[in-house]
Amino acid sequence: MEIESIPSFFIIGVQKSATSSIHSILSQDTRISLPYRKETHFFSTHFKKGISWYLKMFNNNTFNLRGEVDPSYSHYPEAFVNLNKCLKKSKFIIIFRKPIDRAYSHYLMSKSRGYEKYSFNEALKLENERLSDNVNFSYSHHSYLLRSSYGEQIIRYKRVFPNSEFLFLKYDDFIDINNRLRFLKQIYKFLDITFNLL
């Protein structure tokens, strides 16, 4: 296994918290190697494809840092198990959004993709029933409240990666134009790389 090529940092969530925008911003920095598409889902659902498949997703081989932005890693229990097989410590960044706002944004995404036929209130009432069917589709697309249970996700990662570093940020700081620069500088400081996106 090409352990030395595994990313040294992961932005693991949460879903619907500007992770696509952040991936796009970091992709502009040639010192940072990211997968050419956000969310490979390698550690969550594609681990059996092998590390060589995963490393082919990265867009450059000359870099100071290699990382990945994939919110599925905070949600799927398999993700931290598979990550732990490849590394014992890393840097993890988690961006929090108000749980009900995140859940509703998730719902709108599922609705727009044709994955949701119920109203938001109905979908929330049906969530446990849908998830109890143990169908991966519902686990991904109908897990509105479950994905917003941040405490369980943090405890899980802290337990499995006790020697890792964690940075917790707020989605509201990113969408506030007056705070966005400070938000990005926090990421760069955490990654120990000079901020020069201006």
Side-chain angles (χ1 to χ4, degrees):
M1 186 175 289
E2 300 162 84
I3 297 296
E4 69 280 358
S5 299
I6 294 290
S8 59
F9 76 91
F10 295 88
I11 300 178
I12 60 172
V14 297
Q15 184 194 47
K16 309 309 294 177
S17 295
T19 54
S20 293
S21 297
I22 293 164
H23 174 90
S24 178
I25 291 168
L26 295 180
S27 293
Q28 297 173 42
D29 192 324
T30 57
R31 298 170 299 170
I32 300 175
S33 173
L34 297 173
Y36 62 83
R37 73 175 187 197
K38 176 178 167 271
E39 300 184 28
T40 67
H41 298 325
F42 174 67
F43 291 101
S44 53
T45 59
H46 296 314
F47 195 68
K48 290 182 179 178
K49 292 185 177 181
I51 198 71
S52 294
W53 175 88
Y54 176 57
L55 295 177
K56 288 176 184 175
M57 297 288 181
F58 288 83
N59 57 8
N60 63 307
N61 293 315
T62 304
F63 55 88
N64 295 68
L65 289 175
R66 173 165 276 174
E68 186 179 8
V69 182
D70 195 326
S72 74
Y73 296 167
S74 66
H75 176 57
Y76 280 80
E78 298 89 347
F80 71 87
V81 173
N82 292 330
L83 278 163
N84 194 39
K85 291 176 182 176
C86 297
L87 48 89
K88 296 306 174 189
K89 67 177 182 177
S90 187
K91 290 188 175 186
F92 296 104
I93 299 172
I94 305 176
I95 302 150
F96 296 114
R97 185 175 181 179
K98 292 175 185 174
I100 195 63
D101 291 348
R102 193 225 66 81
Y104 187 61
S105 182
H106 183 181
Y107 166 80
L108 292 177
M109 180 176 70
S110 291
K111 189 88 169 172
S112 70
R113 292 178 175 177
Y115 301 153
E116 182 59 80
K117 60 183 179 180
Y118 296 103
S119 71
F120 183 53
N121 286 339
E122 290 171 328
L124 295 184
K125 290 176 183 177
L126 289 169
E127 181 170 331
N128 285 338
E129 181 182 331
R130 286 164 137 179
L131 297 182
S132 68
D133 291 339
N134 203 27
V135 177
N136 193 52
F137 182 84
S138 284
Y139 194 74
S140 180
H141 301 294
H142 302 141
S143 51
Y144 311 121
L145 295 176
L146 182 63
R147 281 185 186 251
S148 297
S149 300
Y150 309 141
E152 294 175 17
Q153 298 166 13
I154 295 168
I155 290 169
R156 185 186 298 158
Y157 267 88
K158 288 272 194 174
R159 185 182 297 130
V160 175
F161 297 102
N163 298 317
S164 290
E165 297 176 62
F166 292 83
L167 175 65
F168 303 111
L169 298 170
K170 294 190 295 185
Y171 168 81
D172 287 348
D173 288 336
F174 180 79
I175 60 170
D176 182 342
I177 195 67
N178 295 315
N179 287 322
R180 183 171 297 175
L181 193 61
R182 182 172 61 86
F183 179 100
L184 294 171
K185 284 181 177 179
Q186 286 182 80
I187 291 177
Y188 271 73
K189 182 178 180 181
F190 179 69
L191 298 179
D192 198 25
I193 189 170
T194 306
F195 182 80
N196 65 357
L197 285 179
L198 296 178

